[in-house]
Every structure is written in C-alpha cells, then in structure tokens.
Amino acid sequence: MEPEMEDKTLELMNTTFMDSQTDDFSSKKTTVFKTITNGPMTGSRKRPSEGNYEKEKDVCIQLFDQWSEADQVEFVEHLISRMCHYQHGHINSYLKPMLQRDFITALPAQGLDHIAENILSFLDARSLCSAELVCKEWQRVISEGMLWKKLIERMVRTDPLWKGLSERHQWEKYLFKNRTTEVPPNSYYRSLYPKIIQDIETIEANWRCGRHNLQRIQCRSENSKGVYCLQYDDDKIISGLRDNSIKIWDKQSLECLKILTGHTGSVLCLQYDERVIVTGSSDSTVRVWDVNSGEVLNTLIHHNEAVLHLRFCNGLMVTCSKDRSIAVWDMASPTDISLRRVLVGHRAAVNVVDFDDKYIVSASGDRTIKVWSTSTCEFVRTLNGHKRGIACLQYRDRLVVSGSSDNTIRLWDIECGACLRVLEGHEELVRCIRFDNKRIVSGAYDGKIKVWDLQAALDPRAPASTLCLRTLVEHSGRVFRLQFDEFQIISSSHDDTILIWDFLNVSTNGQTEGRSPSRTYTYISR
C-alpha cells in the first residue's frame, strides 16, 4: 500500500468534519486522535453520530476495497494498534463468531461424512448425548454413523466386563458387523447403552453387598474327601480331587461328564487349554491329558516328592515340588516336553509358582518369595516379609500378591522387592488367592472367602478397615482353590464341594444380604 494513500485514509478516519477548517475542527480532530492512541477521555466512549461520518466511512471503504489482501491486513493492524483496550474487547467479541466453524456440519456438505463420523466416534457417552443436542445435522451424523454402536463395540473390545455381558446377554451378535449386514438402527444401541450401565452398576453392587446366587456340586468322593484344584470356562469345570481322580463337570447342568484316572496319588494342581490338561500329583508325576478324549499323552517323571503346583504358557512350563526344587520345561508339543533347567534355592517345599516373559516367581514354606529370570533362569532377588510359610501367590505386571500361614496377604512390587500392603482378616492359613484389575479374592483354612478392594489396597492413604469388601461363608471345610471373573467365583474345599457364587443372575425375591437360594447337584461315584 502506498504511504500517501495510507496516511490519507488514516487522516480521513481521524477527522471529524472534512468540510470545516476552523479551530473547532482542529480541536475535534485532536480529541479523536488522542482517543484512538491514548485511550478514551472522560465522558461517553461511544462516538456521537455526525453529519459527515457516513460520507467519510464510504470514502474509506472505497479506498480499502482497492487494496490487496495483504495491504488490507497491514492497514487494519495499524488501525487496531491505535485503539484502546475497550475497543479491542469490542472487536474481539465481534470477530469470535466469525472465526468459529461448525466443521461437523460443514464436512458432510463437502461429501466428507466419514471424517465427521470419525471425529465424533472418539466421544464418551456423556459427550455423545450432548453432541446429539447441538443441532439436527449433528444428530443425523451420529445416527447415520451408528456412533452408539461403535461406542459399545469400543467398550466390548477394551473392558472384560462389557465383553462378558455381551456374551451372556447375547447382544454381541449385533456388534462388529458392517453396514451392509442387517443390523438394528442406531436407536437400538442408543437405548441399549443405559441398560448395560445399569447391569454393570447392579453387578458391582452385588459384589459390594455379597448378593449372589449359589450353586453347589457335591463330589461325594468314596475314599478320601477334598477338591484340591480347579479351573473353569463357560462350558466346563475341571477339578482335581484328593481321591486321585480328575472330574470334568458341565458348567450349566453341573453333571459330571467325565472322570480321568491314572494318578496314584491326590491331584494337587492342574491347568488346561484348548488342547491339553496338565496335572501334578502327590505321586510325584506330571501327566498330560487330551482335553477332549481324556487320553494320557505324556507322563513326566522328575520330581522326587509331590508336585505341588504348575503353570504353562507359550511353550514353557514350570513345576514345583515338595522336594524344594523348581523345574523349567520346554513344551514343543504334548508328547515332546524336555527339561530345560532346575532351579534350586528354597530351603523348604516350593508351594506355588507363576511366570511371564520376564520373571518366574516361586513361594515356599521357608517364608520367602524368590524371583528368577525367565529367559536365563538365573536368580534375581528374594522378597522377605511373611512370618511363616507361603502357601499361594499370583504374579502379573509388577504386582505379586501372596498368602501365608501367618494368616496375612501381602502385596509386593516385584521390581524393587518392596511390600506395598499387608491385608489382615483371615483367622487361619491363606491357601488360595487370585486378583484382577479391581479385586483380590482369597480363600483360607478358616473356610471363608474374602473379597478385597485392590485399588484401595494399593493406595497407602486408604484405611485398613476399608479394604475388605465382603466375607463369604458357605464352605464347611478348608478352602483349597478358587478362580473368579467379573461375574462369579468358583471355589473348592476340603468339604468335597465345588461352589459357584454367581453375582450376575441374582434373585431378589426373599433373599437376605450375603446369602442366596442355592441349587445343589450331587455326584455319586459308581
């Protein structure tokens, strides 16, 4: 922009009366210029409307329109720099709505509906509800984009509780299908979401209050009573018994489907996957069974005394024994299992082992937990703190949770070896323990199962009195083993029973808090 033209325009903008050359004109021009450069003078901030203002404005606009965009910006910058703070605020309020863009409405107009849908698909439920109320176009994008369906699918992918509910209530069949497949409208998923939230709140309340439906399997072992170990899935429960047998139960009907025999001692530990069942016994052997046929595929003879616990995953198996040793095995196949290394260091029976890709963790009657490198099998560190022998533990990520015959549960940081919390409440030896992201569930020789708040236990500020959420009492003997998920606990005991504590399907008719109507199935061996 030419300097002369800019000066001329500024002069026009700062001049009050173009047709007057009197002293009064000079005085008013000075007043307006001072107001622009130094702030408003006393009196009204609003410029009085005067006769020549419209003509002067038109001249300025005509000149302004002749300039390039760059010159226009430069001129406005000069103009704004001469204004006071009050004027800046007024201009800012004027510009704000001009600078805002409704991109969700604008994108579909450009044929970019999928981008608008993708942006809104990251919203949580509360924000999605608010977005529906913005305008009809936003509501259309959410509806046609099936964003409530996508939100539910995201929750099912990332949260085990949502996944479990989708399977049990069978609305998973309406998920993860593309638009070409026949699926319900967006309104179905919009109404489904609050129902799922209500179900989740009910389940959480049932856990807190101990409300459950109880099912009982009476094993009725002929010679010696007791169910030492178990594992379950949606279809079956596999249990190892004191009478040397392995019994497989239908999880729905609670009927015994199959009995596996072959061990000459009590079945103390087991684990299965989709191909095999691996069991350890007081007869000192480890046996591998076909999970479908029940055929014995392999027998491992290594330990000198009872095999107390075992774990296997991704071609690696770890067993431990009353003989104080830990054996690490390579599992190429069910019939091709070779001993890799024997770990020695405990001074008493090794009662339990667990492992991942980084560490093998073992616990013993010598009151210690030992940590070993999974890759090298070298010793890493010892966790000291329990005052008596350790009967059970679970290890995941950095957290180890252990139970002992000192009647306590301890939480440990495996990397530094620090004890993070001691949980007290059981009256006898803590025999079994499991945890997930929310809870710790423990079973003890006092016949009780306790549910603990894991997140509170990890918070050093949480009072000890708030950590135990519920104590469940139904077993009449020592609790030997338990497993749980978001909906249930399944436990076994010296009383020769397997109990299923169902926190999802709870009848509210005439039940007292903490106890529910039970269904019992009795198996009588022939």
Side-chain angles (χ1 to χ4, degrees):
M1 179 168 58
E2 296 296 330
E4 294 81 0
M5 188 174 293
E6 181 182 354
D7 292 343
K8 182 177 180 182
T9 307
L10 285 170
E11 183 181 350
L12 285 169
M13 296 291 287
N14 287 313
T15 303
T16 307
F17 298 110
M18 291 291 294
D19 58 348
S20 175
Q21 300 297 325
T22 62
D23 292 341
D24 182 53
F25 161 76
S26 299
S27 174
K28 287 191 176 184
K29 177 182 176 183
T30 302
T31 300
V32 172
F33 185 77
K34 282 182 178 179
T35 300
I36 293 174
T37 56
N38 298 322
M41 298 182 70
T42 58
S44 175
R45 289 175 171 171
K46 186 174 180 180
R47 181 187 187 278
S49 178
E50 300 183 16
N52 288 336
Y53 166 71
E54 293 296 331
K55 294 180 181 178
E56 296 165 5
K57 182 178 73 172
D58 290 342
V59 171
C60 291
I61 290 172
Q62 289 174 7
L63 292 171
F64 187 82
D65 288 343
Q66 296 172 15
W67 302 334
S68 67
E69 288 185 2
D71 290 341
Q72 289 173 342
V73 170
E74 182 183 351
F75 173 75
V76 171
E77 287 176 350
H78 282 300
L79 198 61
I80 290 174
S81 69
R82 297 173 183 269
M83 293 182 178
C84 67
H85 182 72
Y86 162 76
Q87 292 168 311
H88 290 159
H90 187 78
I91 291 172
N92 181 58
S93 299
Y94 179 74
L95 287 175
K96 257 185 179 178
M98 297 177 67
L99 295 174
Q100 292 171 346
R101 291 288 183 273
D102 181 0
F103 53 89
I104 297 300
T105 299
L107 286 168
Q110 302 296 320
L112 301 173
D113 298 63
H114 62 288
I115 296 179
E117 292 169 9
N118 193 47
I119 292 168
L120 293 180
S121 70
F122 289 94
L123 297 179
D124 59 21
R126 186 182 297 274
S127 302
L128 202 55
C129 285
S130 300
E132 287 180 318
L133 302 176
V134 170
C135 64
K136 289 183 178 179
E137 182 61 18
W138 282 47
Q139 188 179 42
R140 183 195 68 80
V141 170
I142 291 169
S143 177
E144 294 185 5
M146 302 292 284
L147 297 192
W148 283 102
K149 173 175 176 284
K150 291 178 180 178
L151 175 59
I152 294 172
E153 289 172 343
R154 186 167 80 236
M155 298 303 296
V156 169
R157 278 194 301 267
T158 57
D159 191 316
L161 182 53
W162 283 72
K163 181 173 175 58
L165 280 173
S166 73
E167 294 168 351
R168 284 163 173 78
H169 289 174
Q170 299 185 348
W171 39 264
E172 63 173 344
K173 61 187 175 185
Y174 300 120
L175 303 177
F176 306 107
K177 299 181 184 297
N178 56 39
R179 297 186 188 186
T180 59
T181 311
E182 187 175 344
V183 295
N186 185 66
S187 57
Y188 167 80
Y189 302 97
R190 176 68 175 79
S191 60
L192 176 62
Y193 190 93
K195 294 176 183 175
I196 298 171
I197 296 299
Q198 185 176 7
D199 284 344
I200 290 172
E201 290 174 350
T202 300
I203 292 168
E204 294 297 330
N206 289 343
W207 275 95
R208 286 193 304 272
C209 299
R211 289 191 295 264
H212 60 274
N213 183 57
L214 189 69
Q215 295 173 283
R216 188 188 306 265
I217 300 173
Q218 295 279 7
C219 296
R220 298 296 187 192
S221 304
E222 283 188 344
N223 300 320
S224 50
K225 294 183 178 181
V227 185
Y228 279 128
C229 53
L230 63 82
Q231 184 183 337
Y232 71 87
D233 57 39
D234 289 340
D235 302 315
K236 61 185 176 294
I237 302 170
I238 301 182
S239 58
L241 280 73
R242 190 180 178 190
D243 67 4
N244 309 348
S245 69
I246 298 139
K247 291 178 180 175
I248 304 175
W249 311 85
D250 183 288
K251 191 162 181 295
Q252 305 308 317
S253 69
L254 307 186
E255 295 178 354
C256 185
L257 303 175
K258 195 175 296 183
I259 303 175
L260 310 183
T261 58
H263 279 298
T264 57
S266 301
V267 181
L268 303 177
C269 53
L270 69 80
Q271 183 184 343
Y272 71 85
D273 61 13
E274 66 280 356
R275 296 189 304 161
V276 296
I277 307 169
V278 183
T279 57
S281 168
S282 58
D283 65 13
S284 306
T285 68
V286 174
R287 288 180 181 255
V288 182
W289 317 71
D290 185 291
V291 73
N292 296 310
S293 68
E295 177 189 0
V296 178
L297 303 176
N298 205 340
T299 301
L300 305 177
I301 302 173
H302 164 74
H303 289 291
N304 298 321
E305 295 189 64
V307 179
L308 301 178
H309 201 252
L310 64 84
R311 301 297 297 166
F312 71 87
C313 183
N314 297 329
L316 185 70
M317 179 168 67
V318 181
T319 61
C320 63
S321 170
K322 191 177 178 182
D323 65 14
R324 307 182 184 183
S325 73
I326 302 158
V328 182
W329 308 78
D330 289 309
M331 298 180 70
S333 72
T335 56
D336 183 9
I337 302 174
S338 58
L339 183 64
R340 178 195 294 187
R341 187 82 174 264
V342 177
L343 309 182
V344 179
H346 284 293
R347 294 177 288 106
V350 184
N351 294 318
V352 59
V353 290
D354 204 353
F355 73 93
D356 64 8
D357 291 338
K358 189 172 185 180
Y359 295 125
I360 297 170
V361 185
S362 59
S364 167
D366 65 9
R367 309 180 184 183
T368 68
I369 298 169
K370 291 190 180 294
V371 182
W372 318 76
S373 168
T374 302
S375 57
T376 66
C377 293
E378 295 300 319
F379 171 74
V380 177
R381 67 178 56 88
T382 299
L383 310 182
N384 289 299
H386 279 296
K387 295 178 173 59
R388 298 187 68 181
I390 302 163
C392 56
L393 68 72
Q394 183 185 350
Y395 157 56
R396 192 180 68 192
D397 300 327
R398 290 184 62 135
L399 183 63
V400 174
V401 181
S402 59
S404 165
S405 56
D406 64 12
N407 304 350
T408 69
I409 298 163
R410 286 180 180 255
L411 283 64
W412 311 81
D413 184 327
I414 196 171
E415 295 295 348
C416 66
C419 180
L420 306 174
R421 172 76 78 165
V422 180
L423 304 179
E424 297 178 310
H426 280 295
E427 298 165 7
E428 294 186 45
L429 179 150
V430 182
R431 181 65 175 80
C432 50
I433 199 154
R434 304 300 294 170
F435 70 87
D436 62 8
N437 293 328
K438 299 176 184 176
R439 305 176 184 91
I440 302 169
V441 182
S442 60
Y445 277 6
D446 58 12
K448 298 174 182 176
I449 293 173
K450 287 184 178 288
V451 181
W452 311 80
D453 186 330
L454 174 60
Q455 296 305 317
L458 291 172
D459 183 355
R461 299 167 298 179
S465 60
T466 65
L467 303 182
C468 184
L469 301 176
R470 185 60 49 178
T471 299
L472 306 174
V473 185
E474 288 287 350
H475 282 295
S476 59
R478 297 171 171 180
V479 181
F480 284 143
R481 194 60 52 95
L482 62 80
Q483 181 185 340
F484 79 98
D485 56 41
E486 291 80 9
F487 308 104
Q488 63 197 332
I489 301 170
I490 299 185
S491 59
S492 66
S493 168
H494 190 265
D495 64 15
D496 216 33
T497 66
I498 298 171
L499 299 186
I500 303 171
W501 315 70
D502 186 350
F503 297 93
L504 174 62
N505 303 300
V506 176
S507 171
T508 57
N509 297 327
Q511 76 170 66
T512 58
E513 185 175 291
R515 301 181 71 91
S516 298
S518 63
R519 177 163 68 96
T520 301
Y521 178 82
T522 301
Y523 173 76
I524 302 176
S525 58
R526 294 179 175 85

